[in-house]
């Protein structure tokens, strides 16, 4: 596919991006090549989901120890618990939406926000009339509606700009392209975080969408290399700094964001390698 047909293709030529793509591929392949994967991939995927949810929640202000996430059953008592519960639900839901993603990404995003919010309603139909005033769950925000997003404190795009850019992102996903999964996942993640289209849980939804791209692309089909782990491990300050590079739109900023996301996948892969080794030793 030519650069003209794939709008993301030029990003592959930015300084360092090709190296990041290669490094990510090697890191993921190492995990998939581990001997434990042949017979215990389900356990590794379950552990990766738990650790990924913990990492995503940490970036949304709920930096809990892994064992606390593992043992906790009540996620509705206060804001941090709700964030952790939302992250766990999103990680579980992401794998159920793969077949819909390439046909209707907006429906998937609506569903992700419903799940994060704890709603059991079906995702809204994109062709349906606008939701009634005050019904903010599962739909992009309207003009004047507030956004509560921990960590990200950049100016909000207008509701009109959000609608236009979401439409563009949706078209991009549906069209597909030849760009490496790392680039597509980085752009989806960055764009959703920049737009903050929902009133709440935008960071969690953006990271869940990144997960969906990485699985659906075939880079990480078993969801065993959780990028969320790596985003959290690099720290909130580095995450925000790299994201500001994305928002800047400069070549340097975009390259830095893609490299940051690539490093996150590598760190998530390293985490799962450690799980594989522990399982092999009988220590986990």
């Amino acid at each position: 596919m030519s650069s003209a047909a794939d709008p993301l293709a030029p990003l592959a030529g930015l300084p360092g991006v090709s190296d990041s793509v290669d490094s990510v591929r090697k890191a993921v392949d190492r995990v998939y090549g581990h001997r434990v994967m042949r017979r215990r991939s389900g356990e590794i995927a379950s552990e990766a989901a738990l650790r990924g949810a913990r990492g995503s929640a940490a970036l949304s202000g709920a930096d809990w120890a892994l064992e606390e996430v593992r043992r906790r059953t009540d996620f509705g008592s206060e804001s941090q618990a709700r964030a952790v519960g939302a992250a766990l639900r999103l990680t579980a839901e992401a794998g159920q939406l793969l077949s819909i993603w390439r046909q209707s990404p907006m429906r998937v995003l609506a569903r992700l926000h419903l799940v994060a919010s704890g709603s059991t309603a079906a995702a809204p139909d994109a062709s349906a009339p606008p939701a009634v005033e005050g019904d903010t769950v599962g739909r992009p925000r309207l003009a004047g509606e507030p956004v509560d997003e921990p960590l990200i404190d950049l100016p909000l795009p207008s509701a009109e700009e959000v609608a236009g850019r979401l439409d563009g992102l949706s078209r991009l996903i549906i069209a597909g392209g030849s760009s490496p999964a790392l680039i597509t996942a980085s752009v989806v993640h960055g764009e959703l975080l920049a737009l903050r289209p929902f009133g709440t849980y935008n960071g969690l939804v953006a990271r869940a969408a990144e997960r969906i791209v990485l699985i659906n692309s075939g880079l990480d089909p078993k969801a065993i290399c959780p990028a969320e782990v790596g985003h959290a491990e690099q720290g909130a300050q580095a995450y925000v700094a790299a994201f500001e590079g994305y928002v800047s739109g400069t070549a340097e900023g975009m390259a830095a964001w893609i490299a940051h996301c690539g490093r996150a996948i590598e760190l998530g892969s390293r985490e799962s390698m450690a799980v594989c080794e522990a399982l092999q030793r009988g220590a986990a």
Side-chain angles (χ1 to χ4, degrees):
M1 184 174 288
S2 68
S3 296
D6 183 357
L8 301 185
L11 296 178
L14 295 178
V17 169
S18 178
D19 290 341
S20 291
V21 169
D22 290 344
S23 186
V24 163
R25 179 77 266 176
K26 290 174 183 175
V28 172
D29 285 347
R30 279 194 292 272
V31 184
Y32 277 85
H34 197 285
R35 61 186 299 180
V36 169
M37 278 293 294
R38 290 196 295 270
R39 61 187 188 279
R40 303 181 74 175
S41 63
E43 292 173 70
I44 297 162
S46 295
E47 193 64 24
L50 183 72
R51 294 173 188 234
R54 192 218 73 82
S56 192
L59 289 172
S60 287
D63 192 2
W64 288 13
L66 180 63
E67 291 311 312
E68 175 68 8
V69 178
R70 195 189 302 279
R71 72 165 191 83
R72 189 75 171 256
T73 58
D74 174 20
F75 296 104
S77 56
E78 43 83 29
S79 61
Q80 286 197 12
R82 288 194 295 272
V84 174
L88 288 166
R89 290 191 299 272
L90 284 172
T91 302
E93 186 75 9
Q96 310 303 312
L97 300 172
L98 302 177
S99 63
I100 308 171
W101 177 250
R102 285 291 294 272
Q103 285 73 44
S104 183
M106 285 306 303
R107 189 168 179 83
V108 170
L109 293 175
R111 176 63 186 169
L112 290 174
H113 190 244
L114 284 165
V115 168
S117 302
S119 173
T120 58
D125 187 339
S127 63
V132 298
E133 185 177 358
D135 181 14
T136 62
V137 177
R139 64 157 175 83
R141 56 186 166 84
L142 304 178
E145 291 182 341
V147 171
D148 177 16
E149 185 53 48
L151 193 60
I152 304 302
D153 192 28
L154 297 176
L156 279 170
S158 68
E160 183 179 8
E161 181 180 351
V162 167
R165 287 171 63 177
L166 282 177
D167 181 66
L169 184 64
S170 180
R171 291 173 183 274
L172 181 75
I173 294 164
I174 292 170
S178 60
S179 295
L182 169 61
I183 293 177
T184 304
S186 300
V187 169
V188 168
H189 181 173
E191 190 69 358
L192 291 173
L193 203 56
L195 296 178
R196 282 150 288 165
F198 302 110
T200 55
Y201 298 123
N202 288 287
L204 293 174
V205 168
R207 291 184 288 275
E210 178 186 48
R211 168 180 283 265
I212 288 173
V213 173
L214 294 173
I215 299 170
N216 216 23
S217 66
L219 175 66
D220 183 20
K222 294 182 183 293
I224 58 171
C225 301
E228 304 97 325
V229 167
H231 287 305
E233 186 171 335
Q234 292 178 90
Q237 186 174 355
Y239 182 75
V240 172
F243 169 64
E244 287 175 349
Y246 176 86
V247 173
S248 76
T250 65
E252 295 79 4
M254 291 296 294
W257 172 245
I258 294 169
H260 182 90
C261 292
R263 181 60 178 156
I265 300 169
E266 291 180 55
L267 291 169
S269 301
R270 187 180 70 180
E271 184 93 350
S272 288
M273 277 293 289
V275 172
C276 287
E277 291 295 323
L279 287 171
Q280 184 166 280
R281 294 191 305 270

